[in-house]
Amino acid sequence: MKALLILLLLSQLCSASLVPEREKDPEYWRRQAQETLRNALRLQRLNQNVAKNLILFLGDGMGVSTVTAARILKGQLQYGQGEESLLEMDKFPFVALAKTYNTNAQVPDSAGTATAYLCGVKANEGTLGVSAGVTRDRCNTTKGQEVTSILRWAKDAGKAVGIVTTTRVTHATPSAAYAHSANRDWYSDGEMPPDALEGGCKDIARQLVENIPEIEVILGGGRKYMYPKNVSDVEYPQEEKHRGTRLDGRNLVQAWQEAKPPGKVAEYVWHRRGLLALNLSRVDFLLGESLHPRVPWHLLGALGGPWPVLGFWGSCSGQLSSKGRCCLQGMVVPCPEVLAKQALHEAVELDRAIGLATRLTSTQDTLSVVTADHSHVFTFGGYTPRGNPIFGLAPMQSDVDRKPFTSILYGNGPGYKIVAGERENVSAVDFAHADYQAQSAVPLRQETHGGEDVAVFARGPMAHLLHGVHEQNYIPHAMAYAACIGSNRGHCNAAVRPATPLLLPFLSFLLLLLC
């Protein structure tokens, strides 16, 4: 106990020495608060323009604790203490909370939440683009229960649309934009049970090609679901696990190209080299599917990455912009394997992309929204002093097992480790390593989602509609209202249309550094 008290005292002394000199002056905080107040008062002049562009940044699993920890990491990467840093999303003037539960689940899954924030309807866990009248795995409950997404609404309004994701394009998070499925795992017909195939249900990859054939940009991963079973992968021909999975014998990449209108140029690429080699000013439709879209952040420099992380913003927006206006979705997927270092670096990369989009667009004509589908059981605490490395140890030992612990912990997951009948001593391992699995309270092979509300950050026309606490399915309705798309357009004739020219008619988002 005496040693613990000494450690706490040293921690307090160290913490006091870390207080920036300016923060000791009360006037510093008063001036900061007054400036914030002036900015808030300026928001009384609401931006009621019609949004020509919509961007939805979706951080899969990016709960509030992840946002806070990413903010600290960003500041520390810039050689600051971290806590005082600002993420780009922090600068958005309007913030709300979204309730993420599924219709049949208190703690949600990504399919039900994607249906909510993309289609505007809450749904059962595990189901995509359908109402709560559909039971998971029951193909025969699907007919007549399909619901359309904001991507479809934008397409019907004549906008160019795109999906750029750091996971499989058939993953639950992006696929609710175009698919209707009783099971999120029906990536190809090779993953579907016989009764679903006999019942006429379509796999998700097929729906990607057939449901909305004129999506201008699709970038992500999961190409094996597009090819016939046992067809060798173009990049890894010797590896059986990467071979095609389709039972119907179809080549969906070829089908995607053939479905385009005559005279239109449709390009398929499977690596960043192919993407960077394209003259995008001559491309009407782009499909890119990497085998490994989620490259760990610490390996990206060595591998070059399957897709460019931020450079695609400049090339795609500058050259594809003449093709039309855009409603676009972008995603980042933090790790369910409790790899906190990778997850937080990926969140910082997402924030860099948000910052670049902010600089390339105007609040007069572009509504940008940043949110998450759900949280994870990620937390950090332990009375750490100011500026404590976000991946570091708490300044105290457990008063039960007398062992140190990292500030970042998980409520459950594979980080639960018992050594010689006791909790693992983290001082004996490299807890700063990118592949370190943070300790978990309950042993699970994979960490679970969290059930708390997630933040919604908004900037641009009608951003003030996102405020307070909302059901998650409200998000696409507010965005559609701002852009005068979808069913609620009665206000549009009287709406204010920005006099400024369309600065960036086609926007894109790409983030790769994933676990």
Side-chain angles (χ1 to χ4, degrees):
M1 179 61 70
K2 183 176 180 181
L4 180 61
L5 290 173
I6 293 173
L7 183 63
L8 287 173
L9 179 60
L10 289 174
S11 173
Q12 292 169 355
L13 291 172
C14 180
S15 180
S17 67
L18 291 174
V19 178
E21 198 63 33
R22 64 181 183 178
E23 294 184 11
K24 297 177 182 178
D25 182 357
E27 281 304 310
Y28 167 79
W29 298 106
R30 292 173 184 141
R31 287 192 299 270
Q32 182 193 74
Q34 288 299 312
E35 179 60 27
T36 302
L37 178 61
R38 287 189 290 272
N39 291 335
L41 290 171
R42 282 193 284 270
L43 294 177
Q44 302 307 306
R45 299 189 291 273
L46 300 178
N47 181 348
Q48 300 188 60
N49 291 347
V50 173
K52 293 182 178 180
N53 310 303
L54 301 175
I55 317 176
L56 176 59
F57 292 97
L58 193 287
D60 195 322
M62 191 177 68
V64 172
S65 56
T66 299
V67 172
T68 305
R71 179 189 304 128
I72 294 172
L73 174 60
K74 177 182 178 180
Q76 292 180 351
L77 290 172
Q78 297 170 343
Y79 306 104
Q81 291 176 308
E83 297 84 1
E84 71 291 342
S85 179
L86 282 176
L87 293 168
E88 296 297 331
M89 64 186 89
D90 292 338
K91 302 172 187 177
F92 282 30
F94 295 96
V95 182
L97 290 175
K99 298 188 285 183
T100 63
Y101 66 91
N102 298 150
T103 47
N104 66 341
Q106 185 179 78
V107 177
D109 97 308
S110 298
T113 54
T115 302
Y117 63 76
L118 289 174
C119 302
V121 173
K122 287 228 172 188
N124 291 328
E125 62 87 25
T127 65
L128 284 168
V130 292
S131 75
V134 174
T135 303
R136 185 170 187 171
D137 293 325
R138 297 281 299 278
C139 168
N140 60 1
T141 64
T142 305
K143 189 174 182 179
Q145 300 299 319
E146 300 88 349
V147 293
T148 58
S149 73
I150 189 170
L151 184 138
R152 164 66 79 177
W153 310 341
K155 195 69 210 171
D156 289 346
K159 289 181 178 283
V161 299
I163 301 171
V164 183
T165 177
T166 54
T167 186
R168 299 179 301 275
V169 293
T170 51
H171 183 273
T173 305
S175 61
Y178 59 83
H180 315 286
S181 180
N183 190 316
R184 58 176 286 177
D185 297 327
W186 291 350
Y187 305 125
S188 76
D189 58 349
E191 285 74 41
M192 296 177 67
D195 66 295
L197 293 172
E198 293 165 4
C201 284
K202 297 180 181 180
D203 62 87
I204 296 170
R206 180 180 171 187
Q207 293 187 64
L208 173 66
V209 173
E210 295 181 357
N211 285 6
I212 310 178
E214 294 191 2
I215 299 175
E216 279 77 3
V217 173
I218 304 168
L219 288 177
R223 62 178 176 244
K224 70 178 182 179
Y225 304 113
M226 307 288 280
Y227 291 100
K229 187 174 179 64
N230 292 326
V231 168
S232 296
D233 183 73
V234 63
E235 191 173 8
Y236 300 96
Q238 305 305 317
E239 297 191 30
E240 185 175 347
K241 65 181 179 179
H242 298 320
R243 292 176 183 173
T245 64
R246 303 200 61 78
L247 301 179
D248 58 12
R250 296 184 66 190
N251 179 331
L252 291 185
V253 172
Q254 182 179 341
W256 173 82
Q257 292 174 316
E258 293 173 348
K260 300 300 173 283
K264 297 294 184 179
V265 177
E267 293 284 357
Y268 173 75
V269 293
W270 53 268
H271 195 277
R272 73 189 303 266
R273 290 189 299 269
L275 177 60
L276 295 174
L278 289 177
N279 181 349
L280 292 176
S281 64
R282 299 178 181 177
V283 175
D284 298 291
F285 298 95
L286 176 63
L287 171 61
E289 288 188 303
S290 167
L291 184 65
H292 302 294
R294 299 170 63 186
V295 178
W297 66 272
H298 62 296
L299 297 180
L300 190 78
L303 297 180
W307 305 124
V309 179
L310 295 175
F312 182 71
W313 272 104
S315 61
C316 181
S317 62
Q319 298 179 53
L320 281 178
S321 61
S322 61
K323 303 298 181 183
R325 300 171 184 173
C326 177
C327 166
L328 185 107
Q329 173 186 358
M331 299 161 201
V332 55
V333 187
C335 306
E337 296 88 359
V338 299
L339 302 174
K341 193 164 189 176
Q342 293 189 26
L344 293 186
H345 275 275
E346 290 151 14
V348 172
E349 285 296 322
L350 171 63
D351 197 63
R352 289 179 59 203
I354 294 168
L356 185 53
T358 299
R359 294 189 294 275
L360 291 174
T361 60
S362 168
T363 56
Q364 296 304 303
D365 59 25
T366 301
L367 172 61
S368 299
V369 175
V370 182
T371 189
D373 51 352
H374 54 75
S375 182
H376 279 276
V377 290
F378 167 95
T379 186
F380 70 101
Y383 300 114
T384 49
R386 179 77 177 271
N388 196 73
I390 191 61
F391 304 115
L393 295 174
M396 57 191 294
Q397 293 182 340
S398 166
D399 57 4
V400 176
D401 65 10
R402 306 298 178 185
K403 289 184 173 65
F405 59 94
T406 56
S407 173
I408 291 176
L409 298 167
Y410 284 80
N412 56 52
Y416 179 92
K417 291 182 176 65
I418 299 297
V419 178
E422 297 182 342
R423 180 173 66 91
E424 181 181 57
N425 190 332
V426 296
S427 63
V429 299
D430 184 5
F431 54 81
H433 193 277
D435 293 328
Y436 171 71
Q437 291 183 318
Q439 290 189 338
S440 307
V442 175
L444 288 176
R445 287 186 176 88
Q446 278 202 332
E447 172 258 7
T448 72
H449 295 171
E452 67 269 25
D453 298 348
V454 296
V456 185
F457 304 86
R459 168 187 181 268
M462 297 291 179
H464 56 276
L465 298 179
L466 292 161
H467 66 98
V469 180
H470 303 296
E471 295 286 358
Q472 192 172 39
N473 67 291
Y474 169 73
I475 295 171
H477 291 280
M479 296 181 71
Y481 183 93
C484 286
I485 61 175
S487 60
N488 190 357
R489 299 195 301 270
H491 64 292
C492 295
N493 291 335
V496 178
R497 298 184 182 273
T500 56
L502 185 61
L503 296 182
L504 195 61
F506 198 102
L507 301 172
S508 51
F509 165 67
L510 188 62
L511 182 65
L512 301 177
L513 314 176
L514 301 191
C515 54

